[in-house]
Amino acid sequence: MSIEIITTGDGSHSLLNTALNETYHSRHGAVQESLHVFIQEGLDRFLASGATTVAVLEIGFGTGLNALLTAQHTEEKGVTVHYTSLETAPLPEDLWVQLNYTTTPAAQTLFHAIHQAPWNQSVAVRPTFQLQKLTVSLQDATLPTAQTDVIYFDAFAPNKQPEMWTYDMLAKAVQTLRPGGMFVTYCAKGQLKRDLKALGLTVETLPGPPGKKEMVRGVRSV
Ligand SMILES: C[S@@+](CC[C@H](N)C(=O)[O-])C[C@H]1O[C@@H](n2cnc3c(N)ncnc32)[C@H](O)[C@@H]1O
């Protein structure tokens, strides 16, 4: 794997896939982007309904940053999470262990537990954080219908990995949503928005994280 650690604008690490010349997060700030797009505009928005349990489906486990932030955020709120994440290229330990996403021993223990959880099993990483990391592509995955509350669609960008953003792949993700469920992504391309609308979602273009103008949220009607 040709992957290098980079430092983004907010001081947090990301990874550069040198073969694709594509980073795993915004160069303006990895943690900043994850908090804004996935936690604030996805998870928190869903939890505003008063839910105490949430099922998350992530496309692209990557560094585990979204998983870590979700586990931390929900633990504070006393919310139970069922977190499923797809990944075709799990990172080796010597790489993820260097990432600077934790500042306390407790957070480091959690981050390590998330990474060390066995693949292709459902594991209670914490009493309120059930994690299922699957080494399968979105293309090959068999996904349940109408069981997800929030989709973190965090694939590499459409110009780098167009096969992730086709109508059929979006449909495959969207059909997992329960009524009231949400699809969030950092991408705000017109074709994506048109496809999500065609798939029956109510689509909003929202302000993006610092350095990125827009992001997208699609909600399945109740
Ligand atoms: C933008 S990064 C994800 C960042 C990640 N969510 C995080 O918090 O670090 C995209 C990820 O998608 C993975 N990926 C590539 N092709 C995939 C596929 N066909 N299905 C699922 N994941 C894929 C890549 O290996 C990479 O880890």
Side-chain angles (χ1 to χ4, degrees), residues 24-25 58 60-63 66 87 137-139 154 161 164:
Y24 280 50
H25 308 92
E58 177 178 47
F61 178 77
T63 63
N66 287 338
E87 177 56 61
S137 64
L138 176 59
Q139 289 80 357
D154 201 9
Q161 231 192 341
M164 300 297 288

Side-chain angles (χ1 to χ4, degrees), residues 195-207:
D195 287 346
L196 293 178
K197 274 184 200 152
L199 288 165
L201 301 189
T202 301
V203 176
E204 293 168 275
T205 306
L206 305 166

Side-chain angles (χ1 to χ4, degrees), residues 89-121:
L91 298 174
E93 179 166 349
D94 63 350
L95 203 51
W96 61 254
V97 84
Q98 296 180 58
L99 296 169
N100 68 353
Y101 297 146
T102 59
T103 51
T104 64
Q108 191 184 53
T109 303
L110 175 60
F111 190 55
H112 285 206
I114 285 170
H115 273 284
Q116 285 164 345
W119 290 85
N120 305 309
Q121 287 179 37

